[in-house]
Amino acid sequence: MFFRIFRNSAWLAGAAFGIAALPLLQRGESPHMLELVFTLTFLIISLGIHEAAHALVADWCGDSTAKDLGRITLNPIPHIDPFMTILLPAVLYLGSGGQMLFGGAKPVPVTYHRLRHPLRDMMFVALAGPASNLLLAVVFLLAWKVAVYFGGFQWAHYDRHGVWIEGHLLPAVLIQSVRLNLLLAVFNMLPIPPLDGSRVMTWLLPAPVREGYVALERFGILLVMGLMYLVPAVRDMVLTGVNQMKDFIDVCTGGQW
């Protein structure tokens, strides 16, 4: 049976942040630690939705492999890979003093030849994950606006005199959730195998080039880590994309209410 693998970079943040937070929480809960814990909670929920979206669209396109394995679920536990989700992020995070972070979720299996239109449908399955993160970013941003403009919550910012205004916990958690979901969406759409964007690129490429491009997946982890940490332009492009998408969804949700 032939499997195409989806590796979600989303768990890199959740796994490493959770590991880093545990000893701090044992020493008492500060506002920053509470923000970390609640943000991590929303991140885990977002990751479950991302993974479930892959599995759900695969099922819609004719392949029930992931559904049969119980992957259409918001429960994050079925998506955890002991090495990619826990061990690798922890080793990199702790070994680099918090400067390096990478990991992945348990692969979502898709049986290529069970899809009705394999090449095209692989693209649709891939797009489902980042699309779910974009939708979640909109939901979290709407929640932030309701909390700030109608709920009486203060957000952390500098006022017009340059004085820092401390904010409440809820807006901080919501805006971090917006940024993390946008980061997941933009990062996963990079056309680097095995990220989701590479499935779209595979569909777009002419047949003579496609096979060589797909073969790069065997070096996927090294490619992604190398480009993100050794090529500043790639990292800057991702961060710029996140900022531009945040501005875009801000306008789409009515700007300042």
Side-chain angles (χ1 to χ4, degrees):
M1 183 178 292
F2 177 74
F3 289 101
R4 292 288 183 152
I5 302 304
F6 288 97
R7 293 189 181 275
N8 186 332
S9 63
W11 273 100
L12 63 92
F17 286 172
I19 292 168
L22 287 176
L24 296 174
L25 290 172
Q26 292 172 352
R27 295 200 294 266
E29 298 176 350
S30 71
H32 294 295
M33 288 304 101
L34 286 174
E35 179 181 338
L36 180 64
V37 170
F38 283 113
T39 300
L40 177 59
T41 300
F42 282 128
L43 175 61
I44 291 173
I45 293 172
S46 300
L47 300 177
I49 293 174
H50 180 115
E51 294 292 341
H54 282 316
L56 180 62
V57 173
D59 186 49
W60 286 349
C61 292
D63 175 31
S64 63
T65 303
K67 178 183 178 181
D68 296 338
L69 293 173
R71 300 298 297 273
I72 303 181
T73 175
L74 303 186
N75 180 1
I77 293 177
H79 305 301
I80 294 176
D81 178 86
F83 177 74
M84 290 293 294
T85 306
I86 300 173
L87 183 60
L88 180 61
V91 170
L92 290 177
Y93 184 84
L94 298 175
S96 65
Q99 298 301 308
M100 182 175 289
L101 205 58
F102 188 81
K106 182 186 295 184
V108 172
V110 179
T111 308
Y112 185 73
H113 295 293
R114 291 180 66 180
L115 298 170
R116 296 187 186 91
H117 306 281
L119 191 61
R120 185 204 66 182
D121 290 348
M122 285 295 293
M123 181 264 296
F124 286 146
V125 175
L127 287 174
S132 71
N133 290 124
L134 181 58
L135 180 59
L136 284 169
V138 172
V139 171
F140 282 123
L141 184 58
L142 286 171
W144 182 90
K145 292 185 176 185
V146 170
V148 168
Y149 297 131
F150 297 103
F153 289 90
Q154 178 66 55
W155 78 99
H157 66 286
Y158 288 99
D159 67 12
R160 59 182 180 179
H161 302 296
V163 177
W164 178 251
I165 305 298
E166 289 289 343
H168 292 128
L169 177 63
L170 180 60
V173 170
L174 290 173
I175 203 65
Q176 288 291 352
S177 299
V178 171
R179 295 189 181 110
L180 283 172
N181 272 281
L182 290 177
L183 177 61
L184 295 178
V186 173
F187 177 76
N188 273 288
M189 283 307 296
L190 290 175
I192 308 170
L195 299 180
D196 295 328
S198 69
R199 312 304 179 189
V200 180
M201 183 61 70
T202 300
W203 179 67
L204 294 172
L205 286 174
V209 182
R210 189 179 300 142
E211 184 175 350
Y213 176 73
V214 172
L216 293 174
E217 185 167 341
R218 71 188 70 175
F219 310 109
I221 294 178
L222 295 177
L223 281 173
V224 174
M225 291 182 64
L227 289 173
M228 286 299 296
Y229 292 106
L230 301 178
V231 183
V234 175
R235 185 169 59 250
D236 293 343
M237 180 178 65
V238 170
L239 295 178
T240 299
V242 169
N243 291 331
Q244 290 178 343
M245 288 302 298
K246 183 176 180 296
D247 291 341
F248 175 72
I249 65 173
D250 182 44
V251 172
C252 291
T253 54
Q256 184 172 351
W257 291 1

